Amino acid sequence: MTAPLIDPYARTIDYLRVSVTDRCDFRCTYCMAEHMTFLPKRDLLTLEELDRMCSAFVRMGVRKLRITGGEPLVRKGIMTFFEGMSRHLGNGLDELTLTTNGSQLERFAEPLWNAGVRRVNVSLDTLDATKFKEITRWGSLDKVLRGIAAAKSVGMRVKINAVALKNFNDVELFDLLDWAAREDLDLTFIEVMPMGDMGDVHRLDQYWPLKDLRATLAERFTLSELSYRTGGPARYFEVGETGQRLGFITPLTHNFCESCNRVRVTCTGELYMCLGQEDRADLRAPLRASEADAGLEAAIREAISRKPKGHDFDYSRQEIAGQVSRHMSHTGG
Ligand code: SAM
């Protein structure tokens, strides 16, 4: 182990999110334009480079590693990477996990479990098959539900992440809650963030602030805040009447930048110190410049010394402020 990563605001960085591909088998309307141009393969970190980079972060104190994308399970050979990373579990790393759209989970649940993955986040915004097709453009609800069932059956804890979308899943709020309770799934709602150009889709038309969502919930249920944390940005509440735990990720109505403990690396090895800022550091060059990791570690430390205080996303003046140009699939949500 080397010295831990501590940023200028005395925050310890112990959570790394790594996007392993920019490709996805869905085209969610709030995430990607339908016709995206993807990166050439040579620009992507190889599986070996991903391993070296993540291992360096673990040596520098990262305790939680979340693999994301694009869709991480469409990256060819990705199980080799998960299997490799499992050697760090209990040796610095506390948790190896992923965020997925669930489309490939039926096939991968068991090997993921064998590699030490115990929790998985599955993104799912609606339980209506027609609306599911509409929002994902290319996805099949049935396949995702089979993926969730497979993850549960191998013993994984599944958390559903739903983006709160006005005029879309607002009408399904109580159905989603009931379903999650019945299926024993954790459920977290996320505010839609201004990332990437969406063509004809307008952010403010989609934005359903979670304070409004909570007000709707309060018409039927009593919510009380919990101290439970999973090392991420979600804040959790208990639904008094059902005992259910509900998460809220509210980058717009209430950010939690002061306790930010994470950084993100894209599939090309760009280290973003904040999801909502453009500053970044190139880790691919030091990875490719030398087989030793000294240059890589120095580049990581230098970048952490520039981690900003927080993002500037803001819709409060009925206009979009703080937008970043890259899509969520680029940085890895
Ligand atoms: N393909 C995987 C998945 O579907 O979970 C991982 C990558 S996806 C970019 C990660 C998460 O980001 C998903 O839950 C998705 O709904 C969310 N997301 C994408 N664009 C977003 C945006 N503009 N605002 C908020 N969440 C967004």
Side-chain angles (χ1 to χ4, degrees):
M1 291 286 283
T2 62
L5 295 169
I6 299 181
D7 82 355
Y9 301 93
R11 297 171 296 195
T12 301
I13 308 307
D14 56 10
Y15 180 7
L16 175 66
R17 302 174 66 112
V18 179
S19 172
V20 293
T21 175
D22 60 333
R23 286 162 202 263
C24 188
D25 50 351
F26 289 5
R27 289 289 180 278
C28 298
T29 56
Y30 52 79
C31 185
M32 286 188 179
E34 184 158 19
H35 303 289
M36 298 280 292
T37 312
F38 291 112
L39 296 161
K41 195 162 168 249
R42 65 176 179 279
D43 287 357
L44 263 55
L45 296 186
T46 64
L47 295 176
E48 294 73 23
E49 287 167 343
L50 283 168
D51 187 310
R52 266 181 70 199
M53 182 194 70
C54 293
S55 301
F57 272 102
V58 173
R59 280 198 302 280
M60 297 166 103
V62 160
R63 310 190 66 90
K64 176 168 172 173
L65 179 59
R66 179 175 296 280
I67 305 308
T68 177
E71 171 47 42
L73 297 180
V74 303
R75 170 88 193 242
K76 210 165 156 208
I78 195 62
M79 281 318 305
T80 312
F81 169 78
F82 275 102
E83 283 153 14
M85 279 299 108
S86 68
R87 73 185 182 279
H88 296 303
L89 284 168
N91 293 309
L93 193 63
D94 296 335
E95 184 169 36
L96 173 61
T97 184
L98 73 155
T99 297
T100 171
N101 64 24
S103 68
Q104 311 297 316
L105 208 45
E106 192 174 18
R107 184 153 60 105
F108 286 117
E110 195 172 340
L112 284 168
W113 175 268
N114 293 339
V117 174
R118 296 293 176 261
R119 293 194 309 151
V120 61
N121 287 359
V122 178
S123 306
L124 178 75
D125 305 321
T126 173
L127 291 168
D128 175 317
T130 311
K131 282 166 72 176
F132 188 86
K133 189 89 192 169
E134 183 191 320
I135 196 90
T136 62
R137 292 193 182 107
W138 295 359
S140 146
L141 176 65
D142 209 40
K143 212 168 162 195
V144 172
L145 295 179
R146 288 204 306 274
I148 293 171
K152 280 172 61 184
S153 77
V154 297
M156 274 186 215
R157 187 78 204 152
V158 180
K159 180 165 79 106
I160 303 299
N161 280 340
V163 177
L165 296 164
K166 195 165 66 179
N167 302 322
F168 184 76
N169 56 10
D170 41 2
V171 289
E172 275 185 83
L173 178 59
F174 291 104
D175 291 345
L176 278 164
L177 221 67
D178 283 352
W179 170 74
R182 256 194 338 269
E183 295 287 326
D184 189 26
L185 303 163
D186 292 321
L187 176 61
T188 288
F189 289 99
I190 307 174
E191 283 175 339
V192 71
M193 289 172 250
M195 304 196 63
D197 182 7
M198 291 294 111
D200 290 341
V201 179
H202 293 291
R203 288 289 177 206
L204 283 172
D205 295 342
Q206 301 178 312
Y207 177 47
W208 184 25
L210 291 190
K211 63 177 176 26
D212 294 356
L213 185 152
R214 273 170 56 184
T216 309
L217 282 176
E219 290 167 14
R220 270 196 224 175
F221 296 123
T222 325
L223 295 180
S224 38
E225 186 155 6
L226 298 170
S227 56
Y228 174 79
R229 297 280 183 275
T230 56
R235 291 298 174 268
Y236 292 89
F237 291 79
E238 187 179 65
V239 183
E241 290 73 4
T242 65
Q244 215 172 342
R245 191 167 59 211
L246 264 189
F248 293 93
I249 300 182
T250 54
L252 280 308
T253 51
H254 184 180
N255 77 58
F256 294 99
C257 300
E258 71 279 2
S259 58
C260 182
N261 59 343
R262 76 211 72 110
V263 290
R264 295 170 154 85
V265 180
T266 68
C267 57
T268 57
E270 292 171 307
L271 169 59
Y272 280 92
M273 291 73 87
C274 172
L275 179 63
Q277 301 287 354
E278 306 282 2
D279 190 24
R280 60 188 179 273
D282 177 19
L283 300 184
R284 190 179 58 191
L287 268 167
R288 293 189 177 171
S290 162
E291 280 176 18
D293 289 339
L296 171 67
E297 291 187 9
I300 294 172
R301 275 195 201 287
E302 196 280 325
I304 299 300
S305 76
R306 302 202 311 260
K307 185 168 160 70
K309 200 165 180 191
H311 64 73
D312 300 314
F313 296 150
D314 184 9
Y315 298 150
S316 61
R317 289 173 203 86
Q318 290 307 304
E319 60 185 44
I320 293 163
Q323 169 141 359
V324 289
S325 58
R326 58 190 191 277
H327 290 93
M328 189 69 112
S329 57
H330 180 91
T331 330

